[in-house]
Coordinates of all heavy atoms in Angstrom, one line a residue:
M1 N 0.8 9.3 -32.6 CA 1.4 8.8 -31.4 C 2.7 8.5 -31.6 O 3.2 8.0 -32.7 CB 0.6 7.6 -30.9 CG 1.0 7.3 -29.6 SD 0.2 5.8 -28.7 CE -1.3 5.3 -29.5
G2 N 3.7 8.8 -30.7 CA 5.2 8.6 -30.7 C 5.4 7.1 -30.6 O 4.6 6.2 -30.6
T3 N 6.8 6.9 -30.5 CA 7.3 5.5 -30.4 C 6.9 5.0 -29.0 O 7.1 5.7 -28.0 CB 8.9 5.6 -30.5 OG1 9.1 6.1 -31.8 CG2 9.4 4.2 -30.4
L4 N 6.5 3.8 -28.9 CA 6.2 3.1 -27.6 C 7.5 2.4 -27.1 O 8.2 1.8 -27.9 CB 5.1 2.0 -27.8 CG 3.7 2.6 -28.1 CD1 2.7 1.5 -28.3 CD2 3.3 3.5 -26.9
H5 N 7.8 2.5 -25.9 CA 8.9 1.8 -25.3 C 8.3 0.6 -24.5 O 7.1 0.5 -24.2 CB 9.6 2.8 -24.3 CG 10.1 3.9 -25.0 ND1 11.2 3.9 -25.8 CD2 9.7 5.2 -25.1 CE1 11.5 5.2 -26.3 NE2 10.5 6.0 -26.0
S6 N 9.3 -0.3 -24.1 CA 8.9 -1.5 -23.4 C 8.1 -1.3 -22.1 O 7.3 -2.1 -21.7 CB 10.1 -2.4 -23.2 OG 11.0 -1.8 -22.2
K7 N 8.3 -0.2 -21.5 CA 7.5 0.1 -20.2 C 6.3 0.8 -20.3 O 5.6 1.2 -19.4 CB 8.5 0.8 -19.2 CG 9.6 -0.1 -18.7 CD 10.4 0.6 -17.5 CE 11.3 -0.3 -16.9 NZ 12.0 0.2 -15.8
D8 N 5.9 1.2 -21.5 CA 4.7 1.9 -21.8 C 3.6 0.8 -22.1 O 3.8 -0.2 -22.7 CB 4.8 2.7 -23.1 CG 5.7 4.0 -22.8 OD1 5.8 4.4 -21.7 OD2 6.2 4.5 -23.8
L9 N 2.4 1.1 -21.6 CA 1.2 0.4 -21.9 C 0.1 1.2 -22.5 O 0.1 2.4 -22.3 CB 0.6 -0.1 -20.6 CG 1.5 -1.0 -19.6 CD1 0.9 -1.3 -18.3 CD2 1.8 -2.3 -20.4
V10 N -0.7 0.6 -23.5 CA -1.7 1.4 -24.2 C -2.9 0.8 -23.6 O -3.3 -0.4 -23.8 CB -1.5 1.3 -25.6 CG1 -2.7 2.1 -26.2 CG2 -0.2 1.9 -26.1
C11 N -3.9 1.6 -23.0 CA -5.1 1.1 -22.5 C -6.1 1.1 -23.7 O -5.9 1.5 -24.8 CB -5.6 1.9 -21.4 SG -6.1 3.6 -21.7
Q12 N -7.3 0.7 -23.4 CA -8.3 0.4 -24.4 C -8.8 1.6 -25.1 O -9.1 1.6 -26.3 CB -9.6 -0.3 -23.9 CG -9.3 -1.7 -23.4 CD -10.5 -2.3 -22.8 OE1 -11.5 -1.6 -22.5 NE2 -10.5 -3.6 -22.6
T13 N -8.6 2.8 -24.5 CA -9.0 4.1 -25.1 C -7.7 4.6 -26.0 O -8.0 5.7 -26.8 CB -9.3 5.1 -24.1 OG1 -8.2 5.3 -23.3 CG2 -10.5 4.7 -23.3
G14 N -6.6 4.0 -26.0 CA -5.4 4.3 -26.8 C -4.6 5.3 -26.1 O -3.7 5.8 -26.7
I15 N -4.8 5.6 -24.9 CA -4.0 6.6 -24.1 C -2.8 5.8 -23.6 O -2.9 4.7 -23.0 CB -4.8 7.1 -22.9 CG1 -6.0 8.0 -23.5 CG2 -4.0 8.1 -22.0 CD1 -6.9 8.4 -22.4
R16 N -1.7 6.3 -23.7 CA -0.4 5.7 -23.3 C -0.3 5.8 -21.8 O -0.4 7.0 -21.2 CB 0.8 6.3 -24.1 CG 2.0 5.4 -23.8 CD 3.2 6.0 -24.4 NE 3.0 7.0 -25.4 CZ 4.0 7.5 -26.2 NH1 5.2 7.2 -26.0 NH2 3.7 8.4 -27.1
M17 N 0.1 4.7 -21.1 CA 0.3 4.8 -19.6 C 1.5 4.2 -19.3 O 2.1 3.3 -20.0 CB -0.9 4.1 -18.9 CG -2.3 4.5 -19.2 SD -3.6 3.4 -18.6 CE -3.2 3.1 -17.0
R18 N 2.2 4.6 -18.2 CA 3.4 4.0 -17.6 C 3.1 2.8 -16.9 O 2.2 2.8 -16.1 CB 4.3 5.0 -17.0 CG 4.8 6.2 -17.6 CD 5.8 5.8 -18.8 NE 7.1 5.5 -18.0 CZ 8.2 5.1 -18.7 NH1 8.1 5.0 -20.0 NH2 9.3 4.9 -18.1
E19 N 4.0 1.8 -17.0 CA 3.8 0.6 -16.1 C 4.2 1.0 -14.7 O 5.2 1.7 -14.4 CB 4.8 -0.4 -16.6 CG 4.8 -1.8 -15.9 CD 5.8 -2.8 -16.5 OE1 5.9 -2.8 -17.7 OE2 6.4 -3.4 -15.6
V20 N 3.4 0.6 -13.7 CA 3.4 0.9 -12.3 C 4.3 -0.2 -11.7 O 4.1 -1.3 -11.6 CB 2.2 1.0 -11.7 CG1 2.2 1.4 -10.2 CG2 1.2 2.0 -12.4
P21 N 5.5 0.2 -11.1 CA 6.4 -0.7 -10.4 C 6.0 -1.2 -9.1 O 6.6 -1.9 -8.4 CB 7.7 0.1 -10.4 CG 7.3 1.5 -10.2 CD 6.0 1.5 -11.1
F22 N 4.8 -0.8 -8.5 CA 4.4 -1.2 -7.2 C 2.9 -1.6 -7.3 O 2.2 -1.2 -8.3 CB 4.6 -0.1 -6.2 CG 4.0 1.3 -6.5 CD1 2.8 1.4 -6.2 CD2 4.6 2.2 -7.1 CE1 2.0 2.6 -6.4 CE2 4.0 3.5 -7.4 CZ 2.6 3.6 -7.1
L23 N 2.4 -2.2 -6.2 CA 1.0 -2.6 -6.2 C 0.3 -2.0 -5.0 O 0.9 -1.7 -3.9 CB 1.0 -4.1 -6.0 CG -0.3 -4.9 -5.9 CD1 -1.1 -4.8 -7.1 CD2 -0.1 -6.3 -5.5
R24 N -0.8 -1.4 -5.2 CA -1.6 -0.9 -4.1 C -2.3 -1.9 -3.4 O -3.0 -2.7 -4.0 CB -2.7 0.2 -4.7 CG -2.1 1.5 -5.2 CD -1.9 2.3 -3.9 NE -1.8 3.6 -4.4 CZ -1.3 4.6 -3.5 NH1 -0.9 4.3 -2.3 NH2 -1.3 5.8 -3.8
V25 N -2.2 -1.9 -2.1 CA -2.9 -2.9 -1.3 C -3.6 -2.2 -0.2 O -3.3 -1.1 0.3 CB -1.9 -3.9 -0.7 CG1 -1.4 -4.8 -1.8 CG2 -0.8 -3.2 0.1
K26 N -4.7 -2.9 0.4 CA -5.4 -2.4 1.6 C -4.8 -3.2 2.8 O -4.6 -4.4 2.8 CB -6.8 -2.7 1.5 CG -7.6 -2.1 2.6 CD -9.1 -2.6 2.7 CE -10.0 -2.0 1.7 NZ -11.4 -2.4 1.8
V27 N -4.6 -2.4 4.0 CA -4.1 -3.1 5.1 C -4.9 -2.8 6.3 O -5.3 -1.6 6.5 CB -2.6 -2.5 5.4 CG1 -1.9 -3.1 6.7 CG2 -1.7 -2.6 4.2
K28 N -5.2 -3.9 7.0 CA -6.0 -3.7 8.3 C -5.0 -3.8 9.4 O -4.3 -4.8 9.6 CB -7.0 -4.8 8.4 CG -8.2 -4.6 7.3 CD -9.1 -5.7 7.5 CE -10.2 -5.6 6.3 NZ -11.2 -6.7 6.5
I29 N -5.0 -2.8 10.4 CA -4.2 -2.8 11.5 C -5.0 -2.8 12.8 O -5.9 -2.1 12.9 CB -3.2 -1.6 11.5 CG1 -2.4 -1.6 10.2 CG2 -2.3 -1.7 12.7 CD1 -1.6 -0.4 9.9
L30 N -4.7 -3.8 13.7 CA -5.4 -3.8 14.9 C -4.3 -3.6 16.2 O -3.3 -4.3 16.1 CB -6.1 -5.2 15.1 CG -6.8 -5.4 16.5 CD1 -7.9 -4.5 16.9 CD2 -7.0 -6.9 16.6
C31 N -4.6 -2.6 16.9 CA -3.7 -2.4 18.1 C -4.0 -3.5 19.2 O -5.1 -3.6 19.5 CB -3.9 -1.1 18.6 SG -3.0 -0.7 20.1
K32 N -3.0 -4.2 19.5 CA -3.2 -5.3 20.6 C -3.2 -4.6 22.0 O -3.7 -5.2 22.8 CB -2.1 -6.3 20.5 CG -2.1 -7.1 19.3 CD -1.1 -8.2 19.3 CE -1.2 -9.1 18.1 NZ -0.1 -10.1 18.1
D33 N -3.0 -3.4 22.1 CA -3.0 -2.7 23.5 C -4.4 -2.2 23.8 O -5.0 -2.4 24.8 CB -1.9 -1.7 23.5 CG -0.6 -2.1 23.7 OD1 -0.3 -3.5 23.8 OD2 0.4 -1.3 23.6
C34 N -4.9 -1.4 22.9 CA -6.2 -0.7 23.1 C -7.4 -1.3 22.2 O -8.5 -0.8 22.5 CB -6.1 0.8 22.9 SG -6.0 1.4 21.3
G35 N -7.1 -2.0 21.1 CA -8.2 -2.5 20.3 C -8.6 -1.6 19.2 O -9.5 -1.9 18.4
E36 N -7.9 -0.5 19.1 CA -8.3 0.4 18.0 C -7.9 -0.2 16.6 O -6.9 -1.0 16.5 CB -7.4 1.8 18.1 CG -7.8 2.8 17.1 CD -9.1 3.5 17.4 OE1 -9.5 3.7 18.6 OE2 -9.9 3.7 16.5
R37 N -8.8 0.1 15.6 CA -8.6 -0.5 14.2 C -8.3 0.6 13.3 O -8.9 1.7 13.3 CB -9.8 -1.3 13.8 CG -10.2 -2.5 14.6 CD -11.5 -3.2 14.2 NE -11.7 -4.3 15.0 CZ -11.4 -5.6 14.9 NH1 -10.7 -5.9 13.7 NH2 -11.7 -6.5 15.7
F38 N -7.5 0.2 12.3 CA -7.2 1.1 11.2 C -7.2 0.5 9.9 O -6.8 -0.7 9.8 CB -5.8 1.7 11.4 CG -5.5 2.5 12.8 CD1 -5.0 1.7 13.8 CD2 -5.8 3.8 12.8 CE1 -4.9 2.3 15.0 CE2 -5.5 4.5 14.0 CZ -5.1 3.8 15.1
I39 N -7.6 1.0 8.8 CA -7.8 0.5 7.6 C -7.0 1.5 6.7 O -7.5 2.7 6.6 CB -9.1 0.2 7.0 CG1 -9.9 -0.8 7.9 CG2 -9.1 -0.3 5.5 CD1 -11.3 -1.1 7.5
L40 N -5.9 1.1 6.0 CA -5.0 2.0 5.3 C -4.8 1.4 3.9 O -4.8 0.3 3.8 CB -3.7 2.2 6.0 CG -3.8 2.9 7.4 CD1 -2.5 2.7 8.1 CD2 -4.4 4.1 7.4
R41 N -4.5 2.3 3.0 CA -4.0 1.9 1.8 C -2.5 2.1 1.6 O -1.9 3.0 2.3 CB -4.5 2.7 0.5 CG -6.0 2.4 0.4 CD -6.5 3.3 -0.7 NE -6.5 2.6 -1.9 CZ -6.7 3.2 -3.1 NH1 -7.0 4.4 -3.1 NH2 -6.8 2.4 -4.2
G42 N -1.7 1.2 1.0 CA -0.3 1.3 1.1 C 0.3 0.8 -0.4 O -0.4 0.3 -1.2
K43 N 1.6 1.0 -0.5 CA 2.2 0.6 -1.7 C 3.0 -0.8 -1.4 O 3.9 -0.6 -0.4 CB 3.2 1.6 -2.2 CG 2.6 2.8 -2.6 CD 3.7 3.8 -3.2 CE 3.0 5.1 -3.4 NZ 4.2 6.1 -3.8
K44 N 2.9 -1.7 -2.2 CA 3.7 -2.9 -1.9 C 4.8 -2.9 -2.9 O 4.5 -3.0 -4.2 CB 2.8 -4.2 -2.0 CG 3.7 -5.5 -1.7 CD 2.8 -6.7 -1.6 CE 3.5 -7.8 -1.0 NZ 2.6 -9.0 -0.8
E45 N 6.0 -2.9 -2.5 CA 7.1 -2.8 -3.4 C 8.2 -3.7 -2.9 O 8.7 -3.5 -1.7 CB 7.7 -1.3 -3.5 CG 8.5 -1.0 -4.6 CD 8.6 0.5 -4.7 OE1 8.4 1.2 -3.7 OE2 9.1 0.9 -5.9
H46 N 8.7 -4.6 -3.6 CA 9.8 -5.6 -3.2 C 9.5 -6.3 -1.9 O 10.3 -6.5 -1.0 CB 11.2 -4.9 -3.0 CG 11.5 -4.0 -4.2 ND1 11.9 -4.5 -5.4 CD2 11.6 -2.7 -4.4 CE1 12.2 -3.7 -6.3 NE2 12.1 -2.4 -5.7
G47 N 8.2 -6.7 -1.8 CA 7.8 -7.6 -0.7 C 7.5 -6.8 0.6 O 7.2 -7.3 1.7
R48 N 7.6 -5.4 0.5 CA 7.4 -4.6 1.7 C 6.3 -3.7 1.4 O 6.1 -3.1 0.4 CB 8.7 -3.9 1.9 CG 8.6 -3.0 3.2 CD 10.0 -2.3 3.4 NE 9.9 -1.1 4.2 CZ 10.3 -1.0 5.5 NH1 10.8 -2.2 5.9 NH2 10.1 0.0 6.2
I49 N 5.4 -3.5 2.5 CA 4.3 -2.5 2.3 C 4.6 -1.2 3.2 O 5.0 -1.2 4.3 CB 3.0 -3.2 2.9 CG1 2.7 -4.4 2.1 CG2 1.8 -2.2 2.8 CD1 1.5 -5.2 2.7
E50 N 4.3 -0.1 2.4 CA 4.6 1.2 3.1 C 3.3 1.9 3.1 O 2.6 2.3 2.1 CB 5.6 2.1 2.3 CG 5.8 3.5 2.8 CD 6.4 3.4 4.3 OE1 7.4 2.6 4.6 OE2 5.9 4.1 5.1
T51 N 2.8 2.3 4.3 CA 1.5 2.9 4.5 C 1.7 4.4 5.1 O 0.9 5.2 5.1 CB 0.6 2.2 5.4 OG1 1.1 2.1 6.8 CG2 0.2 0.8 5.0
G52 N 2.9 4.6 5.9 CA 3.1 5.9 6.5 C 2.6 5.7 8.0 O 2.8 6.6 8.7
F53 N 2.0 4.6 8.4 CA 1.6 4.4 9.8 C 2.7 4.4 10.7 O 3.7 3.6 10.5 CB 0.7 3.1 9.8 CG 0.1 2.8 11.2 CD1 -1.0 3.4 11.6 CD2 0.7 2.0 12.1 CE1 -1.7 3.1 12.8 CE2 0.2 1.8 13.4 CZ -1.1 2.4 13.7
K54 N 2.7 5.1 11.8 CA 3.8 5.2 12.7 C 3.3 4.6 14.1 O 4.2 3.8 14.7 CB 4.3 6.6 13.0 CG 4.8 7.4 11.7 CD 6.0 6.5 11.2 CE 6.5 7.3 9.9 NZ 7.3 6.5 9.1
Q55 N 2.2 4.9 14.7 CA 1.8 4.5 16.0 C 0.3 4.6 16.1 O -0.3 5.4 15.5 CB 2.5 5.3 17.1 CG 2.1 6.7 17.3 CD 2.9 7.4 18.3 OE1 4.0 7.1 18.6 NE2 2.3 8.3 19.0
C56 N -0.2 4.0 17.2 CA -1.7 4.1 17.6 C -1.9 5.3 18.3 O -1.0 6.0 18.7 CB -2.0 2.8 18.3 SG -3.7 2.7 18.7
L57 N -3.1 5.6 18.5 CA -3.6 6.7 19.4 C -3.1 6.6 20.7 O -2.9 7.6 21.5 CB -5.0 6.9 19.2 CG -5.7 7.1 17.9 CD1 -7.2 7.1 17.9 CD2 -5.2 8.4 17.3
C58 N -2.9 5.3 21.2 CA -2.5 5.1 22.6 C -1.0 5.1 22.7 O -0.4 4.7 23.7 CB -3.1 3.8 23.0 SG -2.4 2.3 22.3
N59 N -0.3 5.6 21.8 CA 1.1 5.7 21.6 C 1.9 4.3 21.5 O 3.1 4.2 21.6 CB 1.7 6.4 22.9 CG 1.3 7.9 22.9 OD1 1.1 8.5 21.9 ND2 1.0 8.4 24.0
N60 N 1.1 3.2 21.2 CA 1.7 2.0 20.9 C 2.4 2.0 19.6 O 1.8 2.4 18.7 CB 0.6 0.8 20.9 CG 1.0 -0.5 20.5 OD1 2.3 -0.8 20.5 ND2 0.2 -1.2 20.0
R61 N 3.6 1.5 19.6 CA 4.4 1.5 18.3 C 4.8 0.0 17.8 O 5.5 -0.1 16.8 CB 5.7 2.3 18.4 CG 5.5 3.8 18.6 CD 6.8 4.5 18.7 NE 6.6 5.9 18.7 CZ 7.1 6.8 18.0 NH1 7.9 6.3 17.0 NH2 6.9 8.1 18.0
D62 N 4.6 -0.9 18.7 CA 5.1 -2.3 18.4 C 4.0 -3.4 18.5 O 4.3 -4.4 17.7 CB 6.2 -2.6 19.5 CG 7.2 -1.6 19.5 OD1 7.8 -1.2 18.5 OD2 7.7 -1.1 20.6
H63 N 3.0 -3.4 19.1 CA 2.1 -4.6 19.2 C 0.8 -4.4 18.4 O -0.1 -3.9 18.8 CB 1.8 -4.6 20.7 CG 2.8 -4.8 21.6 ND1 3.3 -3.7 22.4 CD2 3.8 -5.7 21.8 CE1 4.4 -4.1 23.1 NE2 4.7 -5.4 22.7
F64 N 1.0 -4.8 17.3 CA -0.2 -4.8 16.2 C -0.4 -6.2 15.5 O 0.5 -7.0 15.4 CB 0.2 -3.8 15.1 CG 0.4 -2.4 15.6 CD1 1.6 -1.9 15.7 CD2 -0.7 -1.6 15.9 CE1 1.8 -0.6 16.3 CE2 -0.6 -0.4 16.4 CZ 0.7 0.2 16.5
E65 N -1.6 -6.4 15.3 CA -2.0 -7.5 14.2 C -2.3 -6.8 12.9 O -3.1 -5.9 12.7 CB -3.2 -8.2 14.7 CG -3.6 -9.4 14.0 CD -4.8 -10.0 14.7 OE1 -4.8 -10.3 15.9 OE2 -5.8 -10.3 13.8
I66 N -1.6 -7.3 11.9 CA -1.6 -6.6 10.5 C -2.1 -7.7 9.6 O -1.6 -8.7 9.5 CB -0.3 -6.1 10.1 CG1 0.3 -5.1 11.1 CG2 -0.3 -5.5 8.8 CD1 1.7 -4.6 11.0
E67 N -3.1 -7.2 8.8 CA -3.6 -8.1 7.7 C -3.5 -7.4 6.4 O -4.1 -6.3 6.3 CB -5.1 -8.5 8.2 CG -5.7 -9.5 7.1 CD -7.3 -9.8 7.5 OE1 -7.4 -9.8 8.8 OE2 -8.0 -10.0 6.6
E68 N -3.1 -8.1 5.3 CA -3.0 -7.5 4.1 C -4.1 -7.9 3.2 O -4.4 -9.1 3.1 CB -1.6 -7.9 3.5 CG -1.5 -7.4 2.0 CD -0.2 -8.0 1.4 OE1 0.6 -8.5 2.1 OE2 -0.1 -8.0 0.2
N69 N -4.8 -7.1 2.4 CA -5.9 -7.3 1.5 C -5.6 -6.7 0.2 O -5.1 -5.6 0.2 CB -7.2 -6.9 2.0 CG -7.7 -7.7 3.2 OD1 -7.4 -8.8 3.4 ND2 -8.4 -6.9 4.1
F70 N -5.9 -7.4 -0.9 CA -5.7 -6.8 -2.2 C -6.9 -6.1 -2.7 O -8.1 -6.5 -2.5 CB -5.2 -7.8 -3.3 CG -3.8 -8.3 -3.0 CD1 -3.6 -9.4 -2.2 CD2 -2.8 -7.6 -3.5 CE1 -2.3 -9.8 -2.0 CE2 -1.6 -8.1 -3.3 CZ -1.3 -9.2 -2.5

């Protein structure tokens, strides 16, 4: 095995893994206009979650209830 750097991690099997700079989170989105529910996975990075979600099926882009789960 080569030289380990500060951002490298070694798991129990001895395989070298890179440190992940973001956290995977589950997000529940409820449309306040039509009641449609979505459950998505996203990346939490610098306090912001990115899921790729743009709008509901009813074309709503603004009125949502959003809940973050780990």
